[in-house]
């Protein structure tokens, strides 16, 4: 018969542990929350009270229900109090030595039938299990931050996990209102492997000066529809955790894209770990600095547009309506835009080769329209600051958010997005996870509007393959080359990778 896990221990009541304790208590289970000392225990109590308190304030929970939930949680500093637990979940810092010490204690203290679970983001569940006398009853149960909100739980089994246990834990996750996906014990499992690769790539773009923090965040939030930009999310996850996950990914994959970006190391060393310390990529609790004074596009009258098609026509109409004088030229003959005050080269590829063909190359910037709300503005090495500022203003006048970036292959959005989609295809190709689990993982673990394979189908396999080829040609990064499966699907004329994967 499936195990029901009536009494659940949670060890470590930081952000994740307290969230996990809340989830179990809300499901009606008795929870024993354990912390190392009284101060940490009080912080854990604070997390629980604040989180449920917010729900009361919003009218999502009655005060009685809050009292009942908190009443189900016993807080203690003694691990011995876990003797009767049916399941214990560990959510302590990601240090293998600490985890193994804890699991040795749990193994000694907990009843023989108890299941021991780890919420580790990155460490090997197998290595944790191997340190106990019951490796068959050790499993990964990986929640996502904020645990009360994110609907995914990754259930991670090892080669020695008892038959049926992963199914029981998946059923438990469902009883908590979560959707489980089951995965084997590989670094980063499904979600962190894809997510941290992308987040670290965003750090690399930042460090290489292709775009700034706010531009990259805006690009991915508003251009792709992700709930948060990469730097906001890194701050939420914690830069120490992010660094550790990248480190473990790198150790397993030897893919240099997973080597933690130096900016992560620097921030972590400085103790700037993100929201939990009040500062990471952003500062929290301080008034936002005043936005820099808008530079005016007022001195601009004639706007050159390079490129044909509906985008150029729509842009010309919108500019005309806003009081500018648009002039359109095809790429093959730029004569018409030669004397324009600024020249917008509609392109999703670098535009410097167009600039050098103009009498005033400093007046040209690349413009890549992303969805309905964003426009990437690419400055070449020749673009003047005045041109960049004027195009920035023009984009705003057109009711789009400008994302200022360098003139590099795939600019920001497609560079980050396509590399991530390629990684998802690589994961599918390796047989580690099904297309459904990969999509569910990213949708429910990170709140993405669609999973990567769904996004790939929507954008078009060929467009992504071609974008990856351009990225590879520019950066010569082996992992940017289209995964063979993607290349072959395009060659074979297959339009949907999800249909292909069944
Ligand atoms: N605890 C409890 N509830 C919270 C919360 C928290 N810390 N933060 C937000 N919420 C609730 C709010 O109360 C609100 O609830 P309601 O809809 O019932 O009113 C709901 O979540 C939405 O919150 P907000 O309106 O304040 O804010 P947003 O709409 O911006 O959503 C978000 C916040 C849910 C965090 C959203 O931005 C999001 O989904 N971000 C992506 C988070 C993500 O990717 N997490 C995974 C990180 S990876 C990970 O954790 C794995 C690890 O191993 C590294």
């Amino acid at each position: 018969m499936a195990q029901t896990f009536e009494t659940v221990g949670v060890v470590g009541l930081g952000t994740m542990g307290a969230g996990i304790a809340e989830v179990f208590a809300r499901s009606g289970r008795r929870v024993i929350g354990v912390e190392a000392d009284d101060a940490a225990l009080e912080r854990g109590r604070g997390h629980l009270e604040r989180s449920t308190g917010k729900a009361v304030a919003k009218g999502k929970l009655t005060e009685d229900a809050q009292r009942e939930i908190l009443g189900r949680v016993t807080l203690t500093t003694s691990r011995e109090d876990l003797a009767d637990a049916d399941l214990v979940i560990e959510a302590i810092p990601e240090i293998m030595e600490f985890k193994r010490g804890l699991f040795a204690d749990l193994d000694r203290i907990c009843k023989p039938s108890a299941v021991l679970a780890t919420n580790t983001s990155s460490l090997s569940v197998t290595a944790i299990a191997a340190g106990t006398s019951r490796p068959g009853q050790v499993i990964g149960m990986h929640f996502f931050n904020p645990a009360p909100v994110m609907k995914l739980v990754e259930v991670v089994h090892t080669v020695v996990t008892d038959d049926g246990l992963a199914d029981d834990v998946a059923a438990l996750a469902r009883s908590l209102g979560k959707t489980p996906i089951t995965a084997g014990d590989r670094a980063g499992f499904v979600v962190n492997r894809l997510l941290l690769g992308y987040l670290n790539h965003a750090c690399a773009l930042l460090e290489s000066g292709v775009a700034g923090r706010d531009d990259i965040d805006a690009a991915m939030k508003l251009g792709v529809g992700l709930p948060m930009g990469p730097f906001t999310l890194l701050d939420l996850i914690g830069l120490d955790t992010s660094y550790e996950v990248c480190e473990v990914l790198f150790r397993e994959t030897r893919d240099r894209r997973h080597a933690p970006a130096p900016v992560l190391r620097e921030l972590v060393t400085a103790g700037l770990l993100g929201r939990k310390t009040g500062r990471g990529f952003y500062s929290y609790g301080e008034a936002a600095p005043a936005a820099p004074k808008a530079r005016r596009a007022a001195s601009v009258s004639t706007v050159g547009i390079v490129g044909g098609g509906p985008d150029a026509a729509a842009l010309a109409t919108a500019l005309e309506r806003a009081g500018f004088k648009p002039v359109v030229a095809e790429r093959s003959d730029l004569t018409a835009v030669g004397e324009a005050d600024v020249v917008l080269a509609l392109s999703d590829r670098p535009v410097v080769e167009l600039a050098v063909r103009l009498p005033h190359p400093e007046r040209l910037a690349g413009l890549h329209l992303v969805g309905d709300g964003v426009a990437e503005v690419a400055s070449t090495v020749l673009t003047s600051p005045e041109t960049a500022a004027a195009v920035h203003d023009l984009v705003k006048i057109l009711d789009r958010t400008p994302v200022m970036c360098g003139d590099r292959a795939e600019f920001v959005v497609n560079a980050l997005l396509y590399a991530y989609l390629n990684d998802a295809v690589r994961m599918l190709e390796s047989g580690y996870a099904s297309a459904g689990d990969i999509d569910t993982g990213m949708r429910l673990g990170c709140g993405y509007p669609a999973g990567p394979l769904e996004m790939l189908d929507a954008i078009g396999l060929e467009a992504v393959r071609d974008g990856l080829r351009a990225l590879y040609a520019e950066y010569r990064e082996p992992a940017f080359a289209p995964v063979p499966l993607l290349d072959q699907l395009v060659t074979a004329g297959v339009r949907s990778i999800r249909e292909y994967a069944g």
Side-chain angles (χ1 to χ4, degrees):
M1 209 182 79
Q3 309 181 60
T4 51
F5 307 109
E6 292 308 325
T7 301
V8 175
V10 179
V11 184
L13 297 173
T15 319
M16 282 307 289
I20 293 168
E22 179 183 335
V23 169
F24 277 102
R26 277 177 178 259
S27 77
R29 290 176 171 82
R30 198 179 140 234
V31 177
I32 304 158
V34 183
E35 255 299 358
D37 54 42
D38 288 335
L41 202 63
E42 280 319 302
R43 278 198 297 275
R45 191 191 306 280
H47 280 309
L48 280 163
E49 285 174 357
R50 264 194 311 281
S51 179
T52 51
K54 266 198 229 159
V56 172
K58 283 188 176 177
K60 307 247 168 183
L61 200 66
T62 64
E63 279 185 24
D64 283 351
Q66 181 195 25
R67 216 169 299 120
E68 270 178 37
I69 290 168
L70 296 177
R72 285 190 206 110
V73 183
T74 310
L75 296 175
T76 172
T77 53
S78 169
R79 291 179 180 176
E80 307 292 327
D81 291 342
L82 296 166
D84 289 333
D86 303 309
L87 166 76
V88 178
I89 300 183
E90 148 304 289
I92 66 172
E94 295 282 88
I95 299 168
M96 184 54 99
E97 205 186 319
F98 290 4
K99 304 252 189 203
R100 285 179 72 114
L102 169 63
F103 274 75
D105 275 1
L106 295 176
D107 196 21
R108 176 180 54 77
I109 294 164
C110 297
K111 59 190 181 189
S113 61
V115 169
L116 308 181
T118 171
N119 177 56
T120 183
S121 309
S122 56
L123 297 176
S124 160
V125 180
T126 312
I128 295 171
T132 71
S133 67
R134 54 177 105 185
Q137 285 159 251
V138 176
I139 199 157
M141 200 172 182
H142 184 218
F143 290 78
F144 292 80
N145 192 359
V149 184
M150 308 315 284
K151 290 289 174 216
L152 187 76
V153 172
E154 285 177 316
V155 177
V156 182
H157 55 81
T158 72
V159 286
V160 291
T161 305
D162 287 347
D163 286 349
L165 181 58
D167 288 344
D168 288 355
V169 173
L172 169 68
R174 273 186 219 101
S175 78
L176 300 171
K178 306 288 186 195
T179 299
I181 61 173
T182 305
D185 187 22
R186 288 202 197 163
F189 316 132
V190 173
V191 173
N192 279 349
R193 189 154 187 141
L194 296 176
L195 179 67
L196 270 297
Y198 145 67
L199 296 177
N200 204 39
H201 186 186
C203 294
L205 278 190
L206 178 75
E207 296 211 271
S208 63
V210 171
R213 176 198 69 179
D214 295 357
D215 284 301
I216 297 175
D217 264 1
M220 299 313 283
K221 186 174 154 83
L222 306 174
V224 185
L226 308 185
M228 292 175 159
F231 301 110
T232 314
L233 181 55
L234 281 162
D235 275 357
L236 175 75
I237 294 171
L239 304 189
D240 49 347
T241 304
S242 304
Y243 183 95
E244 274 311 313
V245 179
C246 288
E247 190 68 66
V248 171
L249 284 178
F250 177 74
R251 249 181 268 143
E252 187 166 304
T253 63
R254 296 287 152 185
D255 179 342
R256 65 180 178 193
R257 291 175 315 139
H258 292 143
V263 65
L264 285 177
R265 195 243 331 124
E266 192 178 356
L267 288 166
V268 170
T269 309
L272 308 177
L273 306 183
R275 280 197 197 186
K276 61 187 167 190
T277 58
R279 192 172 152 199
F281 284 100
Y282 293 89
S283 292
Y284 300 86
E286 283 172 21
K293 232 171 154 218
R295 313 264 283 274
R296 293 267 35 98
S299 53
V300 172
S301 161
T302 311
V303 181
I305 300 170
V306 179
D311 273 354
L315 185 60
T317 310
L319 284 168
E320 199 157 23
R321 224 179 278 137
F324 298 94
K325 192 171 159 234
V327 200
V328 181
E330 293 286 343
R331 283 173 162 256
S332 52
D333 180 2
L334 303 181
T335 319
V337 298
E339 292 306 321
D341 298 324
V342 295
V343 180
L344 309 174
L346 280 175
S347 178
D348 57 0
R349 299 281 144 80
V351 293
V352 70
E353 56 101 4
L354 295 170
V356 292
R357 288 164 45 201
L358 289 175
H360 307 287
E362 73 283 2
R363 296 187 191 170
L364 181 137
L367 192 74
H368 179 220
L369 305 178
V370 185
D372 293 332
V374 167
E376 290 174 313
V377 178
S379 287
T380 75
V381 283
L382 302 171
T383 308
S384 68
E386 293 72 24
T387 299
V391 178
H392 173 276
D393 284 358
L394 284 176
V395 167
K396 284 190 131 181
I397 290 167
L398 298 176
D399 250 353
R400 284 177 179 263
T401 301
V403 167
M404 309 305 285
C405 61
D407 189 37
R408 298 288 185 279
E410 303 306 308
F411 304 141
V412 174
V413 171
N414 289 351
L416 290 174
L417 186 62
Y418 290 1
Y420 152 74
L421 299 183
N422 206 31
D423 284 343
V425 179
R426 198 186 325 274
M427 183 179 281
L428 179 71
E429 188 182 47
S430 76
Y432 176 61
S434 68
D437 280 355
I438 292 171
D439 280 343
T440 301
M442 296 313 292
R443 249 193 291 106
L444 302 185
C446 305
Y448 284 9
L453 303 171
E454 291 165 330
M455 285 189 187
L456 185 52
D457 279 357
I459 298 167
L461 273 51
E462 191 168 359
V464 175
R465 193 271 313 261
D466 291 349
L468 285 163
R469 283 183 172 170
L471 269 180
Y472 176 70
E474 175 111 318
Y475 293 98
R476 306 296 163 97
E477 170 56 64
F480 290 162
V483 170
L485 174 62
L486 178 59
D487 226 358
Q488 285 161 14
L489 290 174
V490 175
T491 307
V494 174
R495 290 184 173 276
S496 164
I497 192 165
R498 286 182 312 141
E499 270 175 32
Y500 159 80

